[in-house]
Amino acid sequence: MLDWIINIAHAAISTGRDVLPILVILLGFQFLVIRKKVPNFKKIVIGFIYVLLGLTLFLVGLEQALFPLGETMATQLSDPDFLGAKGKPETLQWHDYYWVYIFAAAIGFSTTVAEPSLIAVAIKAEEISGGSISAWGLRAAVAIGVAIGVSLGAYRIVSGTPLPIYIMVGYIIVIIQTFFAAKTIIPLAYDSGGVTTSTVTVPVVAALGLGLASTVPGRSPLLDGFGLIAFASVFPIMSVLAYALIAEKMAKRVKAKKVASSLGSEA
Amino acid sequence: MNPGLKRFLGLFVGALRDLAPIILVIAFFQIIVLQQPFPNLDKVIPGLLFVVLGLALFIQGLEMGLFPLGETMANAFARKGSLIALLAFAFCLGFGTTVAEPALIAVAAEAAEIAAKGGQIPLTTDAQATYAFELRMVVALSVGCAIILGVYRILKGWPIQYFIIGGYILVIVITNFAPPEIVGIAYDSGGVTTSTVTVPLVTALGVGLASTIKGRNPMIDGFGLIAFASLTPMIFVLLFGMVM
């Protein structure tokens, strides 16, 4: 029991330290520059306390329950013993690591669905678009992007291919997609790259990268362990742009059908 | 039933649904693939309860506190009409929220270790601490500049894609001149800078500004601040690696 209390206190202090600069900036500008009463001040303060309390509990729970498991699993899955090459890790080919790629995709998808920052942006996007972008659709699109990205990133670590090439190709695809995308989705799609990699995804994905780089023969954790976050930030942009394109096409088809059927009934 | 309680119960169920995939993935790999017993259930179950409760509280607080505050401040700045005050606020928000970001502190420390092993800086704790601190300052500065640029873009209504595509091309060009050791960290640093408290605030600020200013569409002009904040750190860290 005592260690729980200590853990919560630790998390509360570190969350508080995180939020303190933001609070100072907000209050400083509110009282020195804007100098106007904030409507519903009490409600906002309570909301802030909820956010702090919520984040603290969230982080304590993750650290107690999920992070240690995620880390050991990443190491176990890439262990040569598990992969059936006991004592001869150098005989392993890139495709022997298939459980690692599946795990990377599954954990990338599921951590993204639980990511609080993404939930926040998805709520805003649904509200502003008047419901034409659904919060769930956006989150699923982003999560699929992260799943593909992290899985490919795991393959890159295993195969030892250079990171810049992947990212460059990713950028080129994003640029091409941008030309075909609706103007209203572009900023949101670009945002979704940075939003996904936050409280839940970063620790789990970083642990996966470092675990892989230290067990795969010939990789150095310092040089090859990085880069998974970069994959997880580029691929959601592509998947959201693709989601928007598909959603638009489907909406058009439904509309065309409706027009056709209404014309048919008139005739 | 009390409507507030009922609402919270709804959020609790929603949070449970959000976390179900992680629980399923971990259980599947633990039991079926690795074929190992589930360890520390006495810690895992209360931990999961904490996570669900925490997420429900966070979302409740988001809609009560962070979103309205960001929008109120955006409105106040737009009505005040002082460009300098708004841009100063934008810079402080970007710089202040990044400099204390724990993920960035961790990444900066690892980057210093790499630089020391690569012989770019002396292999002493002092030199590494200085390097890590400077790197953090560079990233925080770059996020501050990013939010300024992003807010200015909203005011002017410029299309975002030119900035982002230009930024991508810059990243690709600089990568060719940067030391290879820094590239992985630089690319990752774009993702780690935006924390869970920063994202809702910055989003509310952008959307609030775009809704207040005449002729701006919140969908086209309101989003995009986070995109700037994830792009500039890559450029700045790559440059930092070349100069150091």
Side-chain angles (χ1 to χ4, degrees):
Chain A
M1 198 55 217
L2 189 69
D3 55 330
W4 280 95
I5 297 169
I6 294 171
N7 280 328
I8 295 171
H10 267 294
I13 292 169
S14 77
T15 314
R17 211 169 30 204
D18 248 18
V19 177
L20 194 69
I22 304 176
L23 216 59
V24 170
I25 293 163
L26 290 177
L27 292 178
F29 273 88
Q30 187 63 47
F31 291 116
L32 299 176
V33 181
I34 295 179
R35 291 190 199 158
K36 263 196 199 123
K37 258 184 104 176
V38 186
N40 299 322
F41 189 67
K42 215 172 126 192
K43 202 176 159 193
I44 289 177
V45 171
I46 296 174
F48 238 96
I49 294 171
Y50 277 179
V51 164
L52 276 182
L53 198 66
L55 266 184
T56 303
L57 289 177
F58 187 73
L59 290 177
V60 171
L62 282 180
E63 268 163 34
Q64 292 291 315
L66 294 176
F67 288 168
L69 266 177
E71 278 169 40
T72 29
M73 286 166 79
T75 340
Q76 282 174 343
L77 284 171
S78 52
D79 187 356
D81 290 358
F82 168 76
L83 295 166
K86 214 171 179 129
K88 295 179 294 210
E90 59 285 345
T91 59
L92 285 170
Q93 297 289 309
W94 67 268
H95 46 77
D96 292 328
Y97 288 88
Y98 60 94
W99 274 122
V100 173
Y101 310 138
I102 297 171
F103 179 71
I107 205 79
F109 183 91
S110 56
T111 51
T112 304
V113 168
E115 194 64 77
S117 315
L118 178 61
I119 299 177
V121 169
I123 291 172
K124 259 275 147 326
E126 182 173 279
E127 180 193 314
I128 289 167
S129 69
S132 71
I133 292 168
S134 87
W136 263 103
L138 182 67
R139 281 167 67 192
V142 173
I144 290 171
V146 174
I148 298 172
V150 177
S151 190
L152 198 64
Y155 165 74
R156 182 197 79 82
I157 294 178
V158 170
S159 65
T161 33
L163 171 68
I165 294 175
Y166 289 87
I167 302 297
M168 274 179 211
V169 172
Y171 283 168
I172 291 168
I173 296 174
V174 168
I175 292 172
I176 294 170
Q177 278 181 305
T178 302
F179 284 110
F180 295 101
K183 244 167 61 189
T184 46
I185 197 75
I186 294 171
L188 186 63
Y190 287 164
D191 265 4
S192 59
V195 163
T196 44
T197 43
S198 201
T199 328
V200 199
T201 318
V202 167
V204 173
V205 165
L208 179 69
L210 292 175
L212 259 182
S214 49
T215 45
V216 177
R219 302 286 166 274
S220 123
L222 281 178
L223 291 184
D224 303 300
F226 290 96
L228 277 184
I229 313 272
F231 275 91
S233 328
V234 177
F235 279 77
I237 306 182
M238 290 182 218
S239 61
V240 171
L241 287 172
Y243 158 76
L245 206 65
I246 294 166
E248 199 185 355
K249 282 254 162 73
M250 299 234 303
K252 257 187 200 154
R253 192 171 296 165
V254 170
K255 218 178 185 180
K257 254 190 195 159
K258 265 189 192 154
V259 170
S261 65
S262 69
L263 280 179
S265 63
E266 267 167 38
Chain B
M1 209 200 286
N2 179 330
L5 191 70
K6 200 172 172 186
R7 208 184 113 72
F8 189 76
L9 217 63
L11 284 173
F12 192 83
V13 172
L16 205 60
R17 196 187 47 199
D18 291 340
L19 287 161
I22 299 192
I23 299 168
L24 284 177
V25 166
I26 291 196
F28 172 78
F29 275 86
Q30 189 72 17
I31 296 166
I32 299 186
V33 181
L34 289 166
Q35 298 185 345
Q36 287 188 7
F38 225 89
N40 305 329
L41 270 183
D42 58 318
K43 267 191 172 179
V44 170
I45 290 174
L48 284 177
L49 266 179
F50 271 45
V51 173
V52 173
L53 192 67
L55 193 59
L57 272 174
F58 174 81
I59 293 169
Q60 172 88 7
L62 198 70
E63 286 176 352
M64 277 173 71
L66 286 184
F67 277 163
L69 186 64
E71 269 161 34
T72 313
M73 290 190 85
N75 281 337
F77 274 117
R79 252 184 273 124
K80 199 173 160 67
S82 161
L83 181 66
I84 293 170
L86 176 61
L87 293 184
F89 178 66
F91 179 81
C92 287
L93 203 60
F95 184 87
T97 55
T98 309
V99 93
E101 173 65 29
L104 177 63
I105 295 174
V107 166
E110 277 170 272
E113 213 182 313
I114 294 179
K117 285 195 175 146
Q120 287 157 296
I121 53 169
L123 242 168
T124 60
T125 27
D126 255 10
Q128 283 186 32
T130 320
Y131 183 93
F133 179 76
E134 284 170 1
L135 184 62
R136 261 171 65 199
M137 286 298 142
V138 165
V139 174
L141 208 66
S142 71
V143 176
C145 296
I147 307 285
I148 289 190
L149 189 65
V151 164
Y152 199 68
R153 176 194 82 85
I154 295 176
L155 299 182
K156 291 285 175 194
W158 290 328
I160 190 171
Q161 50 269 44
Y162 301 124
F163 290 90
I164 302 294
I165 292 175
Y168 283 167
I169 293 170
L170 207 57
V171 168
I172 293 173
V173 171
I174 305 176
T175 301
N176 291 308
F177 299 100
E181 300 81 32
I182 198 91
V183 171
I185 296 163
Y187 286 3
D188 275 2
S189 68
V192 298
T193 49
T194 40
S195 80
T196 312
V197 183
T198 319
V199 167
L201 260 180
V202 166
T203 305
L205 176 75
V207 168
L209 275 177
S211 329
T212 317
I213 300 167
K214 248 197 185 151
R216 295 286 168 275
N217 175 337
M219 215 43 221
I220 298 176
D221 303 299
F223 290 99
L225 285 179
I226 308 287
F228 278 94
S230 334
L231 184 61
T232 52
M234 289 198 250
I235 300 171
F236 276 55
V237 173
L238 284 171
L239 288 174
F240 178 79
M242 286 164 66
V243 174
M244 286 301 285

